[in-house]
Amino acid sequence: MKPGLLPGMKQEITITVEESMRPAFDEVVIHDVMSTVSMIYQMERVGRKMLVPYLEPHEEGAGYALDVCHTGIAVIGQEVTITAICTEVSDRRLVCDVVARTVDNVVGEGTFTQAIFPKEKLTRKIAKFGMR
């Protein structure tokens, strides 16, 4: 990892909830709000934005652990700001507190951990478990 990524650093993105973000099972929409899956995707996205500038050319990162509670709603058309704050960083891990919030409420919060490893390690695993 390149130097400079430190606990306390923050990354944010703001998105607008779209119809495609609603929870749907077997193509049946359940609610007109942002789904848990969509919220988690955005939490991973902001965590990745925190990591990428510090990766060396031979390194990659991937989601390792996520512990999140979806505690509020965000309706279609509403803006949601997703924030990641670095709480722990090492050569092998990045841990961020993540929170998604609207102007009215917290939508969800928790932690997102990314593993950091050599790209060649992932290439070997993909080749080993890839299509046979």
Short mmCIF file of all heavy atoms in Angstrom, two decimals, residues 11-55:
data_model
loop_
_atom_site.label_atom_id
_atom_site.label_comp_id
_atom_site.label_asym_id
_atom_site.label_seq_id
_atom_site.Cartn_x
_atom_site.Cartn_y
_atom_site.Cartn_z
N GLN A 11 -14.53 9.47 3.16
CA GLN A 11 -14.94 9.48 1.76
C GLN A 11 -16.46 9.50 1.74
O GLN A 11 -17.11 8.84 2.55
CB GLN A 11 -14.42 8.23 1.07
CG GLN A 11 -14.60 8.18 -0.41
CD GLN A 11 -13.77 9.20 -1.16
OE1 GLN A 11 -14.34 10.08 -1.78
NE2 GLN A 11 -12.47 9.09 -1.13
N GLU A 12 -17.06 10.28 0.82
CA GLU A 12 -18.51 10.36 0.72
C GLU A 12 -18.96 10.30 -0.73
O GLU A 12 -18.25 10.76 -1.62
CB GLU A 12 -19.04 11.69 1.29
CG GLU A 12 -19.17 11.72 2.77
CD GLU A 12 -19.89 12.98 3.26
OE1 GLU A 12 -20.03 13.96 2.52
OE2 GLU A 12 -20.29 12.95 4.42
N ILE A 13 -20.15 9.75 -0.91
CA ILE A 13 -20.85 9.82 -2.19
C ILE A 13 -22.31 10.16 -1.88
O ILE A 13 -22.81 9.84 -0.80
CB ILE A 13 -20.76 8.51 -3.01
CG1 ILE A 13 -21.31 7.33 -2.22
CG2 ILE A 13 -19.35 8.26 -3.50
CD1 ILE A 13 -21.37 6.03 -3.03
N THR A 14 -22.97 10.81 -2.82
CA THR A 14 -24.40 11.09 -2.68
C THR A 14 -25.08 10.52 -3.91
O THR A 14 -24.64 10.75 -5.03
CB THR A 14 -24.66 12.59 -2.54
OG1 THR A 14 -24.00 13.07 -1.35
CG2 THR A 14 -26.15 12.88 -2.42
N ILE A 15 -26.14 9.77 -3.66
CA ILE A 15 -26.90 9.15 -4.75
C ILE A 15 -28.37 9.55 -4.60
O ILE A 15 -28.81 9.99 -3.54
CB ILE A 15 -26.76 7.61 -4.76
CG1 ILE A 15 -27.18 6.97 -3.40
CG2 ILE A 15 -25.32 7.23 -5.03
CD1 ILE A 15 -28.47 6.27 -3.49
N THR A 16 -29.12 9.40 -5.67
CA THR A 16 -30.56 9.59 -5.64
C THR A 16 -31.21 8.22 -5.79
O THR A 16 -30.84 7.46 -6.70
CB THR A 16 -31.02 10.53 -6.77
OG1 THR A 16 -30.37 11.79 -6.60
CG2 THR A 16 -32.53 10.73 -6.74
N VAL A 17 -32.12 7.89 -4.91
CA VAL A 17 -32.79 6.59 -4.95
C VAL A 17 -33.64 6.49 -6.21
O VAL A 17 -34.47 7.36 -6.47
CB VAL A 17 -33.66 6.35 -3.69
CG1 VAL A 17 -34.35 5.00 -3.76
CG2 VAL A 17 -32.81 6.46 -2.42
N GLU A 18 -33.39 5.45 -6.99
CA GLU A 18 -34.11 5.21 -8.24
C GLU A 18 -35.00 3.98 -8.10
O GLU A 18 -34.79 3.14 -7.21
CB GLU A 18 -33.11 5.00 -9.37
CG GLU A 18 -32.21 6.19 -9.60
CD GLU A 18 -31.12 5.91 -10.63
OE1 GLU A 18 -31.03 4.76 -11.14
OE2 GLU A 18 -30.36 6.85 -10.92
N GLU A 19 -35.95 3.85 -9.00
CA GLU A 19 -36.86 2.70 -8.97
C GLU A 19 -36.10 1.38 -9.04
O GLU A 19 -36.51 0.39 -8.43
CB GLU A 19 -37.89 2.79 -10.09
CG GLU A 19 -38.93 3.86 -9.83
CD GLU A 19 -40.05 3.86 -10.86
OE1 GLU A 19 -40.05 3.01 -11.77
OE2 GLU A 19 -40.95 4.71 -10.73
N SER A 20 -34.99 1.35 -9.77
CA SER A 20 -34.21 0.12 -9.90
C SER A 20 -33.57 -0.32 -8.58
O SER A 20 -33.09 -1.44 -8.46
CB SER A 20 -33.11 0.30 -10.95
OG SER A 20 -32.19 1.30 -10.54
N MET A 21 -33.58 0.54 -7.57
CA MET A 21 -32.98 0.23 -6.26
C MET A 21 -33.99 -0.36 -5.28
O MET A 21 -33.63 -0.69 -4.16
CB MET A 21 -32.37 1.50 -5.66
CG MET A 21 -31.25 2.08 -6.45
SD MET A 21 -30.72 3.64 -5.71
CE MET A 21 -29.31 4.04 -6.71
N ARG A 22 -35.24 -0.51 -5.69
CA ARG A 22 -36.27 -1.04 -4.79
C ARG A 22 -36.06 -2.53 -4.55
O ARG A 22 -35.57 -3.25 -5.42
CB ARG A 22 -37.67 -0.83 -5.38
CG ARG A 22 -38.04 0.61 -5.58
CD ARG A 22 -39.37 0.76 -6.26
NE ARG A 22 -39.33 0.15 -7.61
CZ ARG A 22 -40.36 0.06 -8.42
NH1 ARG A 22 -41.55 0.52 -8.05
NH2 ARG A 22 -40.25 -0.49 -9.60
N PRO A 23 -36.49 -3.02 -3.39
CA PRO A 23 -36.42 -4.47 -3.16
C PRO A 23 -37.46 -5.20 -4.00
O PRO A 23 -38.63 -4.80 -4.03
CB PRO A 23 -36.72 -4.61 -1.66
CG PRO A 23 -37.48 -3.38 -1.30
CD PRO A 23 -37.02 -2.30 -2.23
N ALA A 24 -37.00 -6.23 -4.70
CA ALA A 24 -37.90 -7.03 -5.54
C ALA A 24 -37.44 -8.48 -5.47
O ALA A 24 -36.25 -8.77 -5.52
CB ALA A 24 -37.88 -6.54 -6.97
N PHE A 25 -38.39 -9.36 -5.34
CA PHE A 25 -38.10 -10.79 -5.31
C PHE A 25 -38.97 -11.46 -6.35
O PHE A 25 -40.18 -11.23 -6.39
CB PHE A 25 -38.36 -11.37 -3.91
CG PHE A 25 -37.48 -10.73 -2.87
CD1 PHE A 25 -37.95 -9.67 -2.11
CD2 PHE A 25 -36.17 -11.15 -2.69
CE1 PHE A 25 -37.14 -9.05 -1.17
CE2 PHE A 25 -35.35 -10.54 -1.76
CZ PHE A 25 -35.84 -9.49 -1.00
N ASP A 26 -38.33 -12.27 -7.20
CA ASP A 26 -39.04 -12.90 -8.31
C ASP A 26 -39.79 -11.86 -9.13
O ASP A 26 -40.93 -12.06 -9.53
CB ASP A 26 -39.98 -14.01 -7.81
CG ASP A 26 -39.23 -15.10 -7.07
OD1 ASP A 26 -38.11 -15.45 -7.52
OD2 ASP A 26 -39.74 -15.59 -6.06
N GLU A 27 -39.12 -10.73 -9.34
CA GLU A 27 -39.62 -9.61 -10.14
C GLU A 27 -40.84 -8.91 -9.55
O GLU A 27 -41.53 -8.15 -10.24
CB GLU A 27 -39.87 -10.06 -11.58
CG GLU A 27 -38.60 -10.57 -12.25
CD GLU A 27 -38.82 -11.04 -13.65
OE1 GLU A 27 -39.80 -10.60 -14.29
OE2 GLU A 27 -38.01 -11.84 -14.12
N VAL A 28 -41.14 -9.15 -8.28
CA VAL A 28 -42.24 -8.47 -7.61
C VAL A 28 -41.65 -7.44 -6.65
O VAL A 28 -40.92 -7.80 -5.71
CB VAL A 28 -43.12 -9.47 -6.83
CG1 VAL A 28 -44.21 -8.74 -6.05
CG2 VAL A 28 -43.71 -10.51 -7.76
N VAL A 29 -41.93 -6.16 -6.90
CA VAL A 29 -41.43 -5.09 -6.03
C VAL A 29 -42.17 -5.14 -4.70
O VAL A 29 -43.40 -5.22 -4.66
CB VAL A 29 -41.61 -3.71 -6.71
CG1 VAL A 29 -41.25 -2.59 -5.74
CG2 VAL A 29 -40.76 -3.63 -7.97
N ILE A 30 -41.40 -5.09 -3.63
CA ILE A 30 -41.98 -5.21 -2.28
C ILE A 30 -42.33 -3.84 -1.70
O ILE A 30 -43.39 -3.67 -1.12
CB ILE A 30 -40.99 -5.94 -1.35
CG1 ILE A 30 -40.52 -7.27 -1.96
CG2 ILE A 30 -41.59 -6.15 0.04
CD1 ILE A 30 -41.64 -8.23 -2.30
N HIS A 31 -41.41 -2.88 -1.82
CA HIS A 31 -41.61 -1.55 -1.24
C HIS A 31 -41.04 -0.51 -2.20
O HIS A 31 -40.09 -0.79 -2.93
CB HIS A 31 -40.88 -1.39 0.10
CG HIS A 31 -41.09 -2.48 1.07
ND1 HIS A 31 -42.28 -2.69 1.72
CD2 HIS A 31 -40.26 -3.45 1.52
CE1 HIS A 31 -42.16 -3.72 2.52
NE2 HIS A 31 -40.95 -4.21 2.42
N ASP A 32 -41.53 0.71 -2.13
CA ASP A 32 -40.99 1.82 -2.93
C ASP A 32 -39.93 2.59 -2.14
O ASP A 32 -40.03 3.80 -1.94
CB ASP A 32 -42.13 2.75 -3.37
CG ASP A 32 -42.93 2.16 -4.52
OD1 ASP A 32 -42.34 1.44 -5.34
OD2 ASP A 32 -44.14 2.42 -4.58
N VAL A 33 -38.93 1.86 -1.69
CA VAL A 33 -37.81 2.43 -0.93
C VAL A 33 -36.51 1.78 -1.42
O VAL A 33 -36.54 0.80 -2.15
CB VAL A 33 -37.96 2.19 0.58
CG1 VAL A 33 -39.22 2.85 1.12
CG2 VAL A 33 -37.96 0.70 0.91
N MET A 34 -35.38 2.33 -0.98
CA MET A 34 -34.09 1.74 -1.32
C MET A 34 -33.94 0.41 -0.59
O MET A 34 -34.15 0.33 0.63
CB MET A 34 -32.94 2.68 -0.93
CG MET A 34 -31.59 2.14 -1.34
SD MET A 34 -30.25 3.35 -1.19
CE MET A 34 -30.07 3.46 0.56
N SER A 35 -33.56 -0.61 -1.34
CA SER A 35 -33.40 -1.95 -0.75
C SER A 35 -32.11 -2.03 0.07
O SER A 35 -31.19 -1.24 -0.09
CB SER A 35 -33.35 -3.00 -1.86
OG SER A 35 -32.14 -2.89 -2.60
N THR A 36 -32.07 -3.03 0.92
CA THR A 36 -30.86 -3.30 1.69
C THR A 36 -29.70 -3.62 0.76
O THR A 36 -28.57 -3.14 0.96
CB THR A 36 -31.11 -4.47 2.66
OG1 THR A 36 -32.22 -4.16 3.50
CG2 THR A 36 -29.88 -4.75 3.53
N VAL A 37 -29.95 -4.40 -0.28
CA VAL A 37 -28.90 -4.75 -1.24
C VAL A 37 -28.33 -3.49 -1.89
O VAL A 37 -27.11 -3.35 -2.02
CB VAL A 37 -29.45 -5.71 -2.32
CG1 VAL A 37 -28.48 -5.88 -3.46
CG2 VAL A 37 -29.81 -7.04 -1.69
N SER A 38 -29.17 -2.56 -2.29
CA SER A 38 -28.70 -1.32 -2.90
C SER A 38 -27.90 -0.47 -1.91
O SER A 38 -26.88 0.12 -2.27
CB SER A 38 -29.87 -0.50 -3.44
OG SER A 38 -30.49 -1.19 -4.51
N MET A 39 -28.34 -0.42 -0.67
CA MET A 39 -27.62 0.33 0.34
C MET A 39 -26.24 -0.27 0.57
O MET A 39 -25.23 0.44 0.61
CB MET A 39 -28.41 0.35 1.66
CG MET A 39 -27.71 1.13 2.76
SD MET A 39 -28.52 0.95 4.37
CE MET A 39 -28.12 -0.75 4.79
N ILE A 40 -26.19 -1.59 0.67
CA ILE A 40 -24.90 -2.27 0.89
C ILE A 40 -23.97 -2.05 -0.29
O ILE A 40 -22.77 -1.80 -0.11
CB ILE A 40 -25.13 -3.76 1.17
CG1 ILE A 40 -25.72 -3.92 2.58
CG2 ILE A 40 -23.84 -4.56 1.02
CD1 ILE A 40 -26.19 -5.32 2.90
N TYR A 41 -24.49 -2.11 -1.51
CA TYR A 41 -23.66 -1.85 -2.69
C TYR A 41 -23.01 -0.47 -2.58
O TYR A 41 -21.81 -0.31 -2.84
CB TYR A 41 -24.51 -1.94 -3.97
CG TYR A 41 -23.77 -1.44 -5.18
CD1 TYR A 41 -22.83 -2.23 -5.83
CD2 TYR A 41 -23.98 -0.15 -5.66
CE1 TYR A 41 -22.13 -1.76 -6.93
CE2 TYR A 41 -23.28 0.33 -6.76
CZ TYR A 41 -22.36 -0.47 -7.39
OH TYR A 41 -21.66 0.00 -8.46
N GLN A 42 -23.78 0.53 -2.20
CA GLN A 42 -23.25 1.89 -2.10
C GLN A 42 -22.23 2.00 -0.96
O GLN A 42 -21.24 2.74 -1.08
CB GLN A 42 -24.38 2.91 -1.92
CG GLN A 42 -25.36 2.95 -3.07
CD GLN A 42 -24.74 3.35 -4.40
OE1 GLN A 42 -23.71 4.01 -4.46
NE2 GLN A 42 -25.37 2.95 -5.50
N MET A 43 -22.43 1.26 0.13
CA MET A 43 -21.46 1.26 1.22
C MET A 43 -20.14 0.63 0.76
O MET A 43 -19.06 1.12 1.07
CB MET A 43 -22.02 0.53 2.43
CG MET A 43 -23.11 1.29 3.13
SD MET A 43 -23.86 0.32 4.46
CE MET A 43 -24.73 1.60 5.36
N GLU A 44 -20.23 -0.46 0.00
CA GLU A 44 -19.01 -1.06 -0.55
C GLU A 44 -18.35 -0.11 -1.54
O GLU A 44 -17.12 0.01 -1.57
CB GLU A 44 -19.33 -2.40 -1.22
CG GLU A 44 -19.63 -3.49 -0.23
CD GLU A 44 -19.48 -4.87 -0.84
OE1 GLU A 44 -18.43 -5.14 -1.48
OE2 GLU A 44 -20.39 -5.68 -0.67
N ARG A 45 -19.15 0.56 -2.34
CA ARG A 45 -18.63 1.49 -3.35
C ARG A 45 -17.83 2.62 -2.70
O ARG A 45 -16.73 2.95 -3.14
CB ARG A 45 -19.80 2.04 -4.16
CG ARG A 45 -19.40 2.92 -5.29
CD ARG A 45 -20.64 3.29 -6.13
NE ARG A 45 -20.36 4.50 -6.84
CZ ARG A 45 -21.16 5.55 -6.91
NH1 ARG A 45 -22.35 5.53 -6.35
NH2 ARG A 45 -20.81 6.62 -7.58
N VAL A 46 -18.36 3.22 -1.65
CA VAL A 46 -17.65 4.33 -1.00
C VAL A 46 -16.40 3.82 -0.28
O VAL A 46 -15.37 4.49 -0.25
CB VAL A 46 -18.58 5.15 -0.08
CG1 VAL A 46 -18.90 4.41 1.21
CG2 VAL A 46 -17.98 6.52 0.21
N GLY A 47 -16.47 2.60 0.27
CA GLY A 47 -15.28 2.02 0.90
C GLY A 47 -14.18 1.76 -0.13
O GLY A 47 -12.99 1.98 0.13
N ARG A 48 -14.58 1.30 -1.30
CA ARG A 48 -13.60 1.07 -2.38
C ARG A 48 -12.97 2.38 -2.83
O ARG A 48 -11.77 2.45 -3.09
CB ARG A 48 -14.28 0.37 -3.56
CG ARG A 48 -13.32 0.16 -4.72
CD ARG A 48 -13.35 -1.23 -5.22
NE ARG A 48 -12.45 -1.39 -6.36
CZ ARG A 48 -11.31 -2.04 -6.32
NH1 ARG A 48 -10.93 -2.64 -5.22
NH2 ARG A 48 -10.55 -2.14 -7.40
N LYS A 49 -13.78 3.45 -2.90
CA LYS A 49 -13.23 4.77 -3.25
C LYS A 49 -12.17 5.21 -2.24
O LYS A 49 -11.23 5.93 -2.60
CB LYS A 49 -14.34 5.81 -3.33
CG LYS A 49 -15.19 5.70 -4.58
CD LYS A 49 -16.23 6.79 -4.65
CE LYS A 49 -15.57 8.11 -4.76
NZ LYS A 49 -16.04 9.01 -5.79
N MET A 50 -12.33 4.79 -0.99
CA MET A 50 -11.33 5.11 0.03
C MET A 50 -10.03 4.38 -0.25
O MET A 50 -8.94 4.93 -0.13
CB MET A 50 -11.87 4.71 1.41
CG MET A 50 -10.89 4.85 2.55
SD MET A 50 -10.83 6.49 3.27
CE MET A 50 -12.42 6.57 4.06
N LEU A 51 -10.12 3.13 -0.69
CA LEU A 51 -8.95 2.27 -0.84
C LEU A 51 -8.16 2.50 -2.12
O LEU A 51 -6.93 2.54 -2.10
CB LEU A 51 -9.40 0.80 -0.78
CG LEU A 51 -8.31 -0.25 -1.00
CD1 LEU A 51 -7.26 -0.18 0.09
CD2 LEU A 51 -8.94 -1.63 -1.09
N VAL A 52 -8.83 2.60 -3.24
CA VAL A 52 -8.18 2.57 -4.56
C VAL A 52 -6.99 3.52 -4.71
O VAL A 52 -5.95 3.12 -5.25
CB VAL A 52 -9.22 2.77 -5.69
CG1 VAL A 52 -8.56 3.04 -7.03
CG2 VAL A 52 -10.10 1.53 -5.78
N PRO A 53 -7.07 4.78 -4.26
CA PRO A 53 -5.91 5.66 -4.46
C PRO A 53 -4.63 5.20 -3.76
O PRO A 53 -3.55 5.68 -4.10
CB PRO A 53 -6.38 7.00 -3.89
CG PRO A 53 -7.86 6.92 -3.89
CD PRO A 53 -8.20 5.49 -3.66
N TYR A 54 -4.75 4.28 -2.83
CA TYR A 54 -3.59 3.84 -2.05
C TYR A 54 -3.06 2.47 -2.45
O TYR A 54 -2.08 2.00 -1.90
CB TYR A 54 -3.93 3.89 -0.55
CG TYR A 54 -4.28 5.29 -0.13
CD1 TYR A 54 -5.60 5.70 -0.07
CD2 TYR A 54 -3.27 6.22 0.14
CE1 TYR A 54 -5.92 7.01 0.28
CE2 TYR A 54 -3.58 7.52 0.48
CZ TYR A 54 -4.90 7.91 0.55
OH TYR A 54 -5.21 9.22 0.89
N LEU A 55 -3.72 1.82 -3.40
CA LEU A 55 -3.25 0.52 -3.86
C LEU A 55 -2.03 0.70 -4.75
O LEU A 55 -1.99 1.59 -5.60
CB LEU A 55 -4.34 -0.21 -4.64
CG LEU A 55 -5.54 -0.71 -3.84
CD1 LEU A 55 -6.59 -1.26 -4.78
CD2 LEU A 55 -5.12 -1.74 -2.80
#
